[in-house]
């Protein structure tokens, strides 16, 4: 019965339902009411406004209105007192936290922002890059993967590069060897003059931009519509170390690529051969070297012809025999000879 009343009569003694008001008023006027009259309004029993008549359990007698009023006022007083205590506790807590905040030393320059920040959308990425460019005073390091740089990509960051050059900031850029064949990059470097030094490698890591060795930007998804802005000193230092090691291995853009020492095999084909020997598929090799899959397969075809291989399996053997399955030989190394091409039949 109690549960039934709680569902259908969700109120307190301060606001009775219409049916409860009628039954209670009748009980006060008459001194008691039959128990059956109160069955539709169990709230009166739950709120102790009616209780059984000790002389006859079939009847219910009312609690006096004066006692009900006293009970209501006492409840209101208790609620007000509890609220005042909660307010007092909250004020004391605020004062304590405020005092604690005054004793904390301010963190290093607020302008530095969080250690890792996610930049969602090209507009936010560009804005963060512009902000870092304006704050940069010494050096910018970049890694630019992919192949030939498109004019749109070069134009996108040209305003930042010119602003940096105007302030005497030095820039070092790493590209793949394929980028050497893009006229747009050559025009860009000619425009920038001595402010930019560029080197190339067979393959590089994903895009990386470092400003003054204090803030770095890296992609956060494959289509580069999200980026991470990194300011944690340990992370930035690690990325600088990665860049410097790649830089030492790279070849200045103004210097020619080293000769492979094997007649008829270019430096790019030697790189493809090494990746084939590692078991990579054509699409993976093309992506790592920054060339199209079609171009990659054309180089593989020339490799097969030069090495006298009639199948991919035989090509792997020929690559190993020619010593193309490892790093390029040094300039002091003697030229490697191409294995006998007398038989092109797969074994």
């Amino acid at each position: 019965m109690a549960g039934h009343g709680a569902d259908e009569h969700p109120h307190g003694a301060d606001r009775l339902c219409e049916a409860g008001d009628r039954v209670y008023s009748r009980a006060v006027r008459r001194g008691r009411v039959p128990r059956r009259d109160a069955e539709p309004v169990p709230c009166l029993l739950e709120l102790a406004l009616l209780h059984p008549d000790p002389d006859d359990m079939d009847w219910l007698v009312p609690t006096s209105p004066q006692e009900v009023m006293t009970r209501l006022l006492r409840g209101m007083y208790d609620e007000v007192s509890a609220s005042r205590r909660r307010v007092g506790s909250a004020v004391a807590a605020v004062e304590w936290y405020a005092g604690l905040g005054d004793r904390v030393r301010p963190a290093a320059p607020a302008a530095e922002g969080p250690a890792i920040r996610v930049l969602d959308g090209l507009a936010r990425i560009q804005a963060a890059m512009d902000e870092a460019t304006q704050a940069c005073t010494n050096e910018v390091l970049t890694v630019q993967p992919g192949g030939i740089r498109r004019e749109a990509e070069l134009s996108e960051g040209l305003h930042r590069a010119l602003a940096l050059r105007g302030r005497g900031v030095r820039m070092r850029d790493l590209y793949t060897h394929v980028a050497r064949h893009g006229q747009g990059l050559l025009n860009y470097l000619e425009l920038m003059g001595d402010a930019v030094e560029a080197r190339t490698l067979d393959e590089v890591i994903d895009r990386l931009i470092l400003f003054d060795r204090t803030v770095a930007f890296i992609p956060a998804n494959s289509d580069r519509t999200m980026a991470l802005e990194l300011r944690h000193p340990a992370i930035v230092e690690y990325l600088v170390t990665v860049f410097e090691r790649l830089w030492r291995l790279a070849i200045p853009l103004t210097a020619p690529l080293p000769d492979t020492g094997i007649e008829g095999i270019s430096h790019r084909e030697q790189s493809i051969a090494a990746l084939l020997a590692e078991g990579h598929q054509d699409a993976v090799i093309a992506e790592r070297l920054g060339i199209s899959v079609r171009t990659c397969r054309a180089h593989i075809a020339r490799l097969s012809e030069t090495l006298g291989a009639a199948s991919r399996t035989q090509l792997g053997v020929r690559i190993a025999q020619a010593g193309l399955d490892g790093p390029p030989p040094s300039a002091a190394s003697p030229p490697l000879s191409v294995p006998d091409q007398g038989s092109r039949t797969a074994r």
Side-chain angles (χ1 to χ4, degrees), residues 59-194:
W59 290 79
L60 299 174
V61 296
T63 302
S64 69
Q66 292 78 10
E67 183 179 343
V68 175
M69 286 190 293
T70 301
R71 188 193 308 166
L72 287 173
L73 291 173
R74 185 184 305 116
M76 291 176 59
Y77 176 80
D78 291 343
E79 289 180 6
V80 170
S81 298
S83 296
R84 292 178 62 184
R85 287 195 297 272
R86 286 196 298 270
V87 170
S89 298
V91 170
V94 169
E95 291 175 349
W96 183 80
Y97 281 113
L100 187 63
D102 292 339
R103 296 194 295 271
V104 176
R105 290 186 305 171
E112 292 298 318
I116 300 177
R117 187 160 62 120
V118 179
L119 305 173
D120 189 356
L122 297 179
R124 290 193 63 194
I125 295 173
Q126 294 296 334
M129 294 279 290
D130 288 340
E131 181 181 348
T133 299
Q134 293 170 6
C136 184
T137 60
N138 184 43
E139 178 187 53
V140 177
L141 311 176
T142 75
V143 178
Q144 304 290 355
I148 295 176
R149 301 298 306 285
R150 294 177 298 177
E151 293 287 347
E153 292 177 330
L154 293 167
S155 300
E156 176 186 304
L158 183 60
H159 68 287
R160 286 191 291 268
L162 291 173
L164 291 166
R165 186 190 68 172
R167 296 201 302 274
V169 175
R170 304 291 298 176
M171 290 166 270
R172 286 190 285 159
D173 299 336
L174 275 173
Y175 302 93
T176 61
H177 291 324
V178 178
R180 291 169 172 258
H181 304 291
Q183 187 60 43
L185 176 60
L186 299 179
N187 294 340
Y188 164 77
L189 294 174
E190 183 178 358
L191 175 65
M192 296 301 296
D194 295 338

Side-chain angles (χ1 to χ4, degrees), residues 83-346:
S83 296
R84 292 178 62 184
R85 287 195 297 272
R86 286 196 298 270
V87 170
S89 298
V91 170
V94 169
E95 291 175 349
W96 183 80
Y97 281 113
L100 187 63
D102 292 339
R103 296 194 295 271
V104 176
R105 290 186 305 171
E112 292 298 318
I116 300 177
R117 187 160 62 120
V118 179
L119 305 173
D120 189 356
L122 297 179
R124 290 193 63 194
I125 295 173
Q126 294 296 334
M129 294 279 290
D130 288 340
E131 181 181 348
T133 299
Q134 293 170 6
C136 184
T137 60
N138 184 43
E139 178 187 53
V140 177
L141 311 176
T142 75
V143 178
Q144 304 290 355
I148 295 176
R149 301 298 306 285
R150 294 177 298 177
E151 293 287 347
E153 292 177 330
L154 293 167
S155 300
E156 176 186 304
L158 183 60
H159 68 287
R160 286 191 291 268
L162 291 173
L164 291 166
R165 186 190 68 172
R167 296 201 302 274
V169 175
R170 304 291 298 176
M171 290 166 270
R172 286 190 285 159
D173 299 336
L174 275 173
Y175 302 93
T176 61
H177 291 324
V178 178
R180 291 169 172 258
H181 304 291
Q183 187 60 43
L185 176 60
L186 299 179
N187 294 340
Y188 164 77
L189 294 174
E190 183 178 358
L191 175 65
M192 296 301 296
D194 295 338
V196 176
E197 184 180 358
R199 294 187 181 185
T200 64
L201 283 165
D202 284 322
E203 53 180 312
V204 295
I205 59 175
D206 208 344
R207 180 165 293 177
L208 167 67
I209 303 177
L210 286 152
F211 292 91
D212 281 343
R213 305 190 178 212
T214 57
V215 55
F217 295 88
I218 61 173
N221 60 355
S222 59
D223 59 5
R224 295 178 181 167
T225 57
M226 295 178 64
L228 295 183
E229 178 184 319
L230 307 171
R231 292 183 180 271
H232 193 288
I235 298 176
V236 174
E237 183 180 357
Y238 176 84
L239 294 173
V240 170
T241 301
V242 171
F243 179 90
E244 293 292 358
R245 292 185 181 180
L246 291 175
W247 185 259
R248 286 196 294 270
L249 295 172
I251 300 171
L253 192 66
T254 54
L257 296 179
D259 193 282
T260 62
I262 304 178
E263 185 179 355
I265 295 180
S266 67
H267 188 92
R268 185 184 300 178
E269 288 163 359
Q270 184 176 21
S271 301
I272 291 173
L275 291 172
L276 282 171
E278 293 178 9
H280 296 294
Q281 299 296 319
D282 298 357
V284 174
I285 296 173
E287 181 181 4
R288 288 177 61 167
L289 298 184
I291 58 179
S292 67
V293 176
R294 181 178 179 179
T295 300
C296 179
R297 287 171 178 164
H299 282 297
I300 293 173
R302 282 197 290 272
L303 265 173
S304 298
E305 182 179 357
T306 302
L307 297 177
S311 68
R312 282 294 181 96
T313 302
Q314 191 178 26
L315 177 59
V317 174
R318 297 293 194 190
I319 287 173
Q321 290 174 341
L324 295 173
D325 54 346
S330 65
S333 302
L336 297 174
S337 59
V338 176
D340 180 21
Q341 301 179 26
S343 173
R344 301 196 178 191
T345 305

